[in-house]
Amino acid sequence: MSDRGIRSALRSGVREVRRRLVVAAVTDDGMSTAEYAIGTIAAAAFGAVLYSIVTGDSIVSALTGIIEKALNTSV
């Protein structure tokens, strides 16, 4: 493919991406109340799972071991 063909393909690709972005921006009115509720529930559930993992004994002991090893390392 020649340079001219590559440039033409690139321009048409950029035009297509720009067209799709404009269509997506114009037609999307934002999230509905149900979507906000589902997103909030999902975020809360993820936070609860993350909290239970981080506060578990294995993570606390692993982090404590890492910190103790770092503090006891001679430079």
Side-chain angles (χ1 to χ4, degrees), residues 9-19:
L10 186 59
R11 275 191 219 108
S12 67
V14 169
R15 269 188 249 126
E16 178 64 19
V17 169
R18 185 180 297 154
R19 183 190 68 77

Side-chain angles (χ1 to χ4, degrees), residues 65-75:
I66 291 170
I67 292 170
E68 285 177 356
K69 185 177 178 182
L71 292 175
N72 294 328
T73 303
S74 62
V75 179

Side-chain angles (χ1 to χ4, degrees), residues 31-50:
M31 292 196 310
S32 67
T33 304
E35 289 170 326
Y36 277 116
I38 291 171
T40 302
I41 291 169
F46 179 71
V49 169
L50 187 61

